[in-house]
Amino acid sequence: MSNKGTMNEEREASEPTIRLASVDDALRVAEIYGYYVETSAATFEYVAPSAEEMRCRIAATLNRYPYVVAERNGVVIGFAYAGPLRSRSAYDWSCEMTIYVASDERGSGVGKMLYGELEELLRRMGMLSAYACVAYADPEDEFLTNASFRFHERMGYMMVGKFDDCGNKFGRWYDITWMKKDLNPHLPDPQPVVPFSCLDNA
């Protein structure tokens, strides 16, 4: 085998792949998320959840919504999932998006791949709108840049609301922005959303 062939195979092997999450991913997902809990204001949680807590969260999400992970060379490097926007029935066609990528994978394109797969699954379910609640710093600081806000803009999300000074972490106040992307047309009488666990060939 030529050196060129070996290099091509290594490059292909290093390309990330997207798959559905399982509760067995809990430890690695907790590690990725825990970094942001402990070092940033990207999430307003103060205490990083344990692997067992993350296992429960993944299982609960998959009952109704998709949860996907990105892998590179067999190692999970990011995750994304959807959840309810609010609990009232009239909100059934809207969901809230969440995404976190391993700190050393930021800017690699993994986030775009995760959201692309997640949004496609939500469209198939009949979801109409996806919302993201994104922490926002003005000005940016060592605990929070607005990279997530800019990522969502590139993914086609538009800011539809902003709450000033609503979260306090590391001794400073941060804003949140609500961003929205329509996934399917809004008809007057939409068909019920299909729970992800009931979606054929997910």
Side-chain angles (χ1 to χ4, degrees):
M1 181 181 293
S2 69
N3 288 338
K4 183 177 179 181
T6 302
M7 287 188 294
N8 286 338
E9 288 179 3
E10 289 177 351
R11 186 177 300 111
E12 289 175 4
S14 69
E15 285 297 307
T17 58
I18 310 298
R19 63 167 173 81
L20 292 180
S22 80
V23 293
D24 294 334
D25 297 311
L27 177 59
R28 178 57 180 154
V29 168
E31 291 173 346
I32 293 171
Y33 181 61
Y35 169 85
Y36 292 96
V37 174
E38 294 171 353
T39 68
S40 83
T43 170
F44 287 174
E45 281 199 74
Y46 280 13
V47 179
S50 67
E52 184 56 34
E53 168 62 21
M54 195 60 76
R55 185 181 182 92
C56 293
R57 294 185 188 186
I58 293 171
T61 296
L62 286 170
N63 283 330
R64 183 168 176 80
Y65 297 95
Y67 199 128
V68 294
V69 296
E71 281 187 327
R72 192 191 298 278
N73 297 331
V75 177
V76 172
I77 57 174
F79 63 93
Y81 61 90
L85 181 64
R86 297 291 296 273
S87 62
R88 301 290 187 267
S89 297
Y91 291 101
D92 280 357
W93 294 269
S94 297
C95 64
E96 183 177 351
M97 308 284 274
T98 299
I99 183 169
Y100 287 94
V101 172
S103 59
D104 59 350
E105 289 282 349
R106 288 178 293 190
S108 67
V110 170
K112 181 178 180 180
M113 294 176 65
L114 282 164
Y115 255 24
E117 182 66 25
L118 183 59
E119 289 172 357
E120 180 56 30
L121 291 170
L122 291 166
R123 288 188 185 96
R124 289 173 54 194
M125 290 168 57
M127 197 66 66
L128 304 187
S129 296
Y131 290 84
C133 181
V134 181
Y136 191 89
D138 186 14
E140 296 175 284
D141 62 21
E142 68 271 29
F143 299 115
L144 183 65
T145 69
N146 294 323
S148 181
F149 181 87
R150 292 187 286 269
F151 164 78
H152 282 86
E153 283 189 320
R154 291 193 299 272
M155 292 299 297
Y157 289 72
M158 297 181 60
M159 188 172 76
V160 292
K162 183 170 179 281
F163 298 167
D164 295 333
D165 298 332
C166 65
N168 187 286
K169 195 170 182 181
F170 304 120
R172 97 157 262 199
W173 289 97
Y174 293 96
D175 308 333
I176 60 168
T177 58
W178 278 99
M179 307 184 77
K180 177 190 179 187
K181 180 177 182 178
D182 286 336
L183 302 176
N184 281 308
H186 282 64
L187 303 176
D189 190 18
Q191 293 295 309
V193 172
V194 178
F196 180 68
S197 58
C198 299
L199 192 65
D200 290 337
N201 301 316

